Amino acid sequence: MADGYFTDASMLRIVHRERAIALSGPRALLMQAAHPLAVKGLLAHSTAVDEPYDRLARTAETMSTIAFGSREVADAVTAHEPAMHARVKGRATTAVGRHPAGTPYRADQPDLLLWVLFTLVDSGAVVYRKYVRSMSRAQEAGYWEDYKVVGELFGLARSDMPDTLDDLHAYRRDMLTGDDLHVTEWAREKARKIVLDPPVPWIARPLLETANFVTIALLPDRIRREYGFSAL
């Protein structure tokens, strides 16, 4: 669409027109839930983990609108997000990871929004490389530049996001080796229910179990271990 944020040459469109990218959704959701304050601020106050497949469907629809729709429509579907996030705030009731009890959080915190954005772009790139084709460094950089537009639509400033691809890779290393992430028992129970006990008819279970195998296999090693999933 000519009046959209992206063109057919944009990496966001190139990646997200592939059916395989649907496999990135559950991976991104489990990564999001590995951040204890993201769980509190962005997930626990919604039906994100209690109704994960509904959330994944909404996320996929929103991303499709942003990637392939007009600017007017993309702006309309994301316009309420910053105000909605601003209303969600609280304090952690118990200590978790490096965060002591009483740690304040807001769903519009740039660090929490950035983690969610990162899980989406990282999962998209991982699945694309695994099941579609290789992605050059230039293509990956273009994919991140496109995702920065998505981040702005959801309330992030450019200064809140890693500037270059190298900066994005450094952010990934810092998050996966630092002490910001910690899978809580609540998140672990919900995650295992998501991937091991999905609410689908028995006839569809083999297909979904295959997708769940992919989800677990493609998680970063640290996050997979913290959820208690065995290496595949």
Side-chain angles (χ1 to χ4, degrees):
M1 185 171 293
D3 61 344
Y5 280 102
F6 305 101
T7 70
D8 287 342
S10 300
M11 280 304 299
L12 193 72
R13 284 194 181 182
I14 290 171
V15 173
H16 286 263
R17 69 166 61 105
E18 300 291 341
R19 293 180 183 273
I21 298 304
L23 296 171
S24 69
R27 179 187 187 273
L29 182 57
L30 292 184
M31 289 180 68
Q32 291 165 25
H35 193 304
L37 294 187
V39 164
K40 292 286 187 181
L42 299 174
L43 305 181
H45 284 272
S46 71
T47 60
V49 182
D50 289 318
E51 298 175 5
Y53 296 100
D54 289 345
R55 176 181 172 84
L56 291 173
R58 290 194 298 271
T59 299
E61 183 177 359
T62 299
M63 285 302 302
S64 179
T65 299
I66 293 171
F68 299 101
S70 68
R71 290 184 180 229
E72 180 181 7
V73 174
D75 289 344
V77 300
T78 58
H80 69 288
E81 295 288 339
M84 181 180 68
H85 290 154
R87 292 195 298 268
V88 178
K89 55 187 175 181
R91 292 181 179 271
T93 55
T94 58
V96 56
R98 73 175 182 87
H99 308 286
T103 298
Y105 62 82
R106 295 174 55 98
D108 60 355
Q109 283 180 221
D111 60 324
L112 301 187
L113 290 173
L114 176 58
W115 174 246
V116 171
L117 186 74
F118 169 76
T119 67
L120 295 174
V121 68
D122 187 67
S123 295
V126 166
V127 169
Y128 186 84
R129 284 193 173 104
K130 182 71 174 179
Y131 295 105
V132 182
R133 62 182 61 89
S134 62
M135 184 185 289
S136 70
R137 180 178 173 82
Q139 289 173 324
E140 185 181 4
Y143 192 42
W144 174 232
E145 288 299 320
D146 289 347
Y147 251 102
K148 285 195 281 187
V149 176
V150 177
E152 288 180 311
L153 289 173
F154 282 91
L156 282 167
R158 286 275 168 152
S159 59
D160 295 325
M161 296 179 276
D163 185 30
T164 67
L165 185 60
D166 285 339
D167 294 334
L168 182 67
H169 289 171
Y171 172 79
R172 186 183 200 276
R173 287 192 300 271
D174 289 346
M175 292 301 293
L176 293 179
T177 60
D179 56 3
D180 282 296
L181 303 183
H182 180 84
V183 176
T184 65
E185 188 59 34
W186 181 87
R188 189 176 295 113
E189 291 176 1
K190 294 296 185 181
R192 294 187 72 85
K193 185 175 180 63
I194 290 170
V195 300
L196 299 178
D197 188 25
V200 298
W202 67 267
I203 196 170
R205 285 193 68 92
L207 180 61
L208 193 55
E209 286 172 359
T210 298
N212 290 340
F213 179 91
V214 170
T215 295
I216 294 170
L218 296 184
L219 281 172
D221 291 342
R222 172 191 173 175
I223 292 177
R224 185 172 60 246
R225 287 194 304 267
E226 288 202 23
Y227 275 118
F229 295 125
S230 60
L232 301 173

